[in-house]
Amino acid sequence: MRYVRGAMFMQGNHPVTTHATDIEWRILPGLSDYAATLAAMESRVAGIAAGSAPEAIWLLEHPPLYTAGTSANPADLVAPDRFPVHVAGRGGQYTYHGPGQRVVYVMLDLNRRGRDVRRFVCKLEDWVIATLAEFGIRGERRTGRVGVWVTRPDKSPTPDGLACEEKIAAIGIKLRRWVSFHGLSINLEPDLGHFDGIIPCGIHAHGVTSLVDLGLPVTMDDLDLALQRNFRSVFDPAQAS
């Protein structure tokens, strides 16, 4: 059990509500089955919408798999037999989840946080950018490319002469009764070769990277604590200390 600035994380399946933000933060051990996790997330969203459950953020890893968002192009599934493929129902296209990637499922009530989808997605990007900054990484957003990107001056420029950019975090959400679910994923140390089975997010011109690929020996615990610290500064600035 770890205490961080008045909030509490608990490893395992016992949820603990943070006192500062009234949000349940849960770290799930091992590799979480995708279908079971999705069903649990939908149940929690129903509880939040009904007022019978607190908002929640779940931090976890999945076994290797691909997920297809509502805009997925079948042609972007390059290796359909490589890993299981799940229809996610979230926005976006194809993405990969697997060991070494921190998946963050974000179940927040936008009825009280503001019914503005674009602003919410921007806040998710801001959260990732602030978290990466703790490790000296400059994450950036790009118009028309949801997610967080890093410039790679150490790599060759693109054929049109622009600096190489690679994606370090993907974002895809769904809303039900203005409660969010799904969320984001940050590449800590996944097998980047596993992304070769898809065109990630339908973007051909840019690749993917990770914290470790950028030369940073960050642990999952380091990343989790940075996510928790920076959440309040982005989503609950009045509560931030």
Side-chain angles (χ1 to χ4, degrees):
M1 192 179 296
R2 306 194 302 279
Y3 292 86
V4 186
R5 293 190 181 180
M8 183 164 66
F9 279 140
M10 181 176 286
Q11 296 281 6
N13 294 320
H14 302 289
V16 176
T17 301
T18 62
H19 301 294
T21 59
D22 196 31
I23 295 174
E24 175 196 291
W25 288 73
R26 179 184 288 184
I27 301 175
L28 302 181
L31 301 179
S32 298
D33 177 80
Y34 186 82
T37 305
L38 180 58
M41 186 164 43
E42 291 183 338
S43 177
R44 169 50 64 92
V45 166
I48 295 169
S52 60
E55 295 176 307
I57 295 175
W58 295 349
L59 309 175
L60 57 106
E61 295 173 81
H62 286 304
L65 56 90
Y66 299 126
T67 65
T70 54
S71 302
N73 180 351
D76 290 340
L77 184 59
V78 179
D81 299 322
R82 186 170 185 183
F83 298 125
V85 181
H86 296 267
V87 176
R90 55 158 175 79
Q93 304 187 43
Y94 282 106
T95 194
Y96 165 77
H97 294 313
Q101 180 192 71
R102 178 49 92 209
V103 175
V104 185
Y105 287 137
V106 182
M107 289 153 276
L108 298 180
D109 186 358
L110 300 194
N111 289 292
R112 69 181 185 85
R113 291 178 177 271
R115 291 184 174 187
D116 187 328
V117 178
R118 182 170 296 182
R119 179 173 177 268
F120 179 60
V121 171
C122 284
K123 278 182 170 287
L124 291 174
E125 291 174 333
D126 288 341
W127 183 22
V128 174
I129 290 168
T131 298
L132 294 176
E134 288 206 14
F135 306 109
I137 296 176
R138 181 178 177 178
E140 299 176 295
R141 58 167 56 90
R142 289 290 181 265
T143 302
R145 289 190 257 142
V146 173
V148 177
W149 300 80
V150 295
T151 301
R152 299 295 305 267
D154 56 313
K155 292 193 172 184
S156 300
T158 63
D160 54 8
L162 298 176
C164 174
E165 295 179 347
E166 293 180 328
K167 194 170 196 175
I168 195 168
I171 294 172
I173 64 165
K174 184 174 181 178
L175 297 176
R176 183 171 294 161
R177 295 173 61 186
W178 287 99
V179 177
S180 71
F181 58 120
H182 296 281
L184 61 92
S185 58
I186 301 175
N187 296 330
L188 177 72
E189 192 179 10
D191 185 335
L192 296 179
H194 288 179
F195 286 88
D196 294 344
I198 57 172
I199 304 300
C201 302
I203 299 172
H204 296 257
H206 303 282
V208 293
T209 189
S210 69
L211 287 158
V212 170
D213 183 50
L214 293 169
L216 298 169
V218 177
T219 69
M220 200 66 83
D221 282 349
D222 294 334
L223 182 57
D224 290 344
L225 292 172
L227 282 164
Q228 199 274 340
R229 279 193 295 268
N230 286 284
F231 177 86
R232 281 179 289 180
S233 66
V234 174
F235 285 93
D236 293 307
Q239 303 258 4
S241 59

